[in-house]
């Protein structure tokens, strides 16, 4: 998937510990770890907003995208 989570770099840049960040925004360490590793399919806007508030960043600072032309293909199950 061309969308990558760049949260780890921001945590290091800010000199934080993931455990402390998770506690500050009200997530379990496991939930934050899953997001950091990109193993989640989505994230609630409210969680994204809490992350941004705690880190003093914008959503685009937490995610990156590498262009993949296949992303423009419409899956068969989305046709209707």
């Amino acid at each position: 998937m061309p969308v990558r989570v760049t949260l780890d770099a921001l945590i290091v840049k800010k000199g934080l510990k993931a455990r402390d960040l998770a506690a500050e925004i009200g997530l379990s360490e496991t939930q934050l770890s899953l997001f950091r590793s990109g193993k989640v399919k989505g994230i609630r806007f409210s969680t994204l907003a809490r992350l941004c508030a705690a880190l003093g960043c914008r959503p685009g600072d937490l995610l990156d995208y590498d262009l993949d032309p296949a992303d423009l293909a419409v899956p068969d199950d989305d046709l209707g």
Side-chain angles (χ1 to χ4, degrees):
M1 176 184 289
V3 174
R4 290 178 287 113
V5 178
T6 57
L7 177 58
D8 278 341
L10 197 53
I11 289 173
V12 169
K13 182 180 176 182
K14 299 281 185 174
L16 299 172
K17 292 187 179 186
R19 173 183 327 161
D20 297 335
L21 178 61
E24 183 176 351
I25 64 172
L27 282 182
S28 71
E29 289 180 53
T30 301
Q31 289 172 314
L32 185 61
S33 177
L34 288 171
F35 177 64
R36 290 171 55 204
S37 66
K39 293 183 180 178
V40 295
K41 299 251 183 212
I43 184 170
R44 288 189 173 112
F45 283 173
S46 58
T47 303
L48 192 58
R50 289 195 315 268
L51 276 167
C52 289
L55 295 168
C57 70
R58 300 177 63 83
D61 297 327
L62 301 174
L63 302 170
D64 198 8
Y65 174 75
D66 295 323
L67 180 61
D68 182 351
D71 288 339
L72 293 173
V74 178
D76 290 337
D77 60 347
D78 284 353
L79 297 175

